[in-house]
Amino acid sequence: EVQLVESGGGLVQPGGSLRLSCVASGFAFSDYWMHWVRQAPGKGLVWVSRINSEGSSTSHADSVKGRFSTSRDNAKNTLYLQMNSLRAEDTAVYYCTRDLPSHTETPAYWGQGSLVTVSS
Amino acid sequence: QSALTQPRSVSGSPGQSVTISCTGTSSDVGNYNYVSWYQQHPGKVPKLMIYDVSQRPSGVPDRFSGSKSGNTASLTISGLQAEDEADYYCCSYTGTYTLIFGGGTKLTVL
């Protein structure tokens, strides 16, 4: 069974940093592209970033480009989202998602999410 | 880039059919057959319902179907059931390995 478990969320002041982790199990982590998707309270889904299976290529939404970075450690089956220069508008539940087999553009499996609150 | 355009809400009675539209541009929906749809019940994690415009993952009822014409994709739910009441989001590939979601549609089963 595919399992994705996020951690690292919490309350942070504007301008601060936070690193989210997502531990994967139940599948060959190193074979899949991964995405981060966020959802502000009461709002819709917003794609944040993606990383290829090797970890050599990443893409980020314009709203987080230059502030967030995505990485992975295939030996530890773990995906990361490093968030710097956080703003109030970054407040959201952050979901770690796994792509469909043989796909790179379809978040298919979702973790339970990690809440990040940016507030003074 | 702005979110894909979805109606804020749609409604239907049990047994009826409803269609949710998702309008993008020639740079996303109109240019790629990588449109997916997600169902999200309140307080729950999104669930993939349709991928590659019209493909259903195993376990998704065949009452759910997807299509695309030009820059607009559509999700149709036939034989509406009470448990279909949820928020629905479309998502499209935009090229250069980026994705974009729609603003979401709240489906109410009357």
Side-chain angles (χ1 to χ4, degrees):
Chain A
E1 178 193 4
V2 173
Q3 287 202 344
L4 300 167
V5 180
E6 303 95 337
S7 62
L11 176 64
V12 60
Q13 291 190 337
S17 298
L18 214 54
R19 188 177 82 158
L20 302 183
S21 300
C22 170
V23 177
S25 61
F27 65 99
F29 180 69
S30 61
D31 287 350
Y32 290 89
W33 290 48
M34 302 291 291
H35 303 260
W36 287 100
V37 177
R38 71 184 182 183
Q39 186 170 34
K43 302 296 185 182
L45 302 174
V46 176
W47 177 82
V48 174
S49 71
R50 66 92 194 161
I51 186 168
N52 68 349
S53 55
E54 298 87 359
S56 59
S57 174
T58 62
S59 297
H60 294 81
D62 287 344
S63 58
V64 306
K65 203 172 290 184
R67 300 188 298 122
F68 290 13
S69 63
T70 301
S71 61
R72 64 193 296 163
D73 185 336
N74 285 345
K76 295 182 177 180
N77 288 351
T78 303
L79 173 72
Y80 302 101
L81 182 67
Q82 177 66 44
M83 302 182 293
N84 299 328
S85 302
L86 282 161
R87 307 166 180 166
E89 54 264 36
D90 295 319
T91 294
V93 172
Y94 285 74
Y95 293 103
C96 162
T97 73
R98 194 208 85 177
D99 231 300
L100 274 178
S102 303
H103 282 68
T104 62
E105 68 301 299
T106 308
Y109 294 90
W110 298 59
Q112 290 299 309
S114 184
L115 176 62
V116 172
T117 303
V118 184
S119 174
S120 55
Chain B
Q1 189 172 9
S2 299
L4 303 175
T5 300
Q6 296 182 233
R8 287 207 142 190
S9 64
V10 297
S11 63
S13 299
Q16 289 186 332
S17 293
V18 295
T19 296
I20 300 172
S21 62
C22 170
T23 301
T25 69
S26 57
S27 297
D28 39 63
V29 174
N31 199 34
Y32 302 99
N33 287 325
Y34 295 126
V35 177
S36 51
W37 288 91
Y38 299 84
Q39 176 191 65
Q40 186 179 34
H41 288 106
K44 300 297 185 181
V45 173
K47 176 185 176 183
L48 178 66
M49 305 301 284
I50 295 288
Y51 67 95
D52 292 355
V53 175
S54 61
Q55 302 301 304
R56 273 189 314 276
S58 61
V60 172
D62 59 7
R63 303 185 294 104
F64 291 83
S65 62
S67 62
K68 190 184 84 167
S69 176
N71 297 337
T72 298
S74 299
L75 173 70
T76 298
I77 309 170
S78 57
L80 210 54
Q81 299 182 3
E83 58 262 36
D84 298 333
E85 183 162 298
D87 293 326
Y88 291 83
Y89 296 90
C90 62
C91 178
S92 175
Y93 181 64
T94 67
T96 60
Y97 301 113
T98 61
L99 305 180
I100 186 169
F101 280 91
T105 298
K106 181 177 179 60
L107 169 62
T108 300
V109 180
L110 302 171

